Amino acid sequence: MNSTDRSDLLTLRDAVRDFAEARDWGQFHTPKNLAMALIGEAAEVVEHFQWRTPEASAALPEADRAEVALELADVLLYLVRLADVLDVDLAEAARRKLAINEARYPAEKAHGRADKYSRL
C-alpha cells in the first residue's frame, strides 16, 4: 500500500503513534489511561454546551466553535490512540457497527423517532 492509498484515519493513527513514541509516552498509554483521558476530553466538549439552550448550542459564537473544534480533536486523538494500542481497526469497527445499527434501526421504522431499537 503506498501513501496515496492510505486512509486519513490510518495516516492520523501513524502520526499519533509517532508523536507518542517520540516522547516515550507508550509507558503511560495503557488502555485504562487512554480510556480515562478520552472521557475527560469528552467532558470538556460537554462543558461548552452545558446550560445552553438547544438553540444556543446549535449557534455557537465563532470563538466557542473554535474551542469546541480543538476539544473534539482531543477526543479523536485519544480515540485513535486507544484503538491503536488495542490493535482495533477503527474504520472497520465503525463500518461493522453502522451495519448493526442499520439492521436495528430500519429507516422505515426509525425515521423521525428517537426510540431505542427494541421499542420501534
Side-chain angles (χ1 to χ4, degrees):
M1 170 184 311
N2 67 43
S3 62
T4 58
D5 294 334
R6 295 175 57 83
S7 74
D8 288 344
L9 191 55
L10 290 176
T11 301
L12 180 60
R13 181 206 61 197
D14 291 348
V16 173
R17 182 188 292 165
D18 292 346
F19 181 89
E21 287 176 359
R23 289 154 181 80
D24 191 28
W25 286 353
Q27 61 185 316
F28 309 115
H29 286 185
T30 64
K32 176 193 77 72
N33 287 348
L34 290 167
M36 291 172 68
L38 174 63
I39 291 303
E41 293 300 336
E44 290 183 19
V45 172
V46 171
E47 286 177 351
H48 289 277
F49 299 99
Q50 187 176 15
W51 312 122
R52 293 183 192 231
T53 65
E55 297 78 19
S57 70
L60 292 175
E62 192 53 43
D64 290 353
R65 284 181 70 80
E67 290 178 18
V68 169
L70 293 177
E71 297 302 346
L72 290 171
D74 284 338
V75 170
L76 177 61
L77 293 171
Y78 276 119
L79 179 63
V80 167
R81 182 68 176 143
L82 178 58
D84 185 28
V85 167
L86 291 173
D87 196 26
V88 170
D89 180 334
L90 199 52
E92 176 54 35
R95 285 188 291 272
R96 193 169 63 247
K97 184 62 177 186
L98 185 56
I100 290 168
N101 285 344
E102 285 176 346
R104 286 180 175 170
Y105 298 95
E108 62 276 4
K109 288 184 179 180
H111 189 265
R113 297 178 60 177
D115 298 309
K116 187 173 179 174
Y117 63 90
S118 60
R119 296 188 179 265
L120 292 177

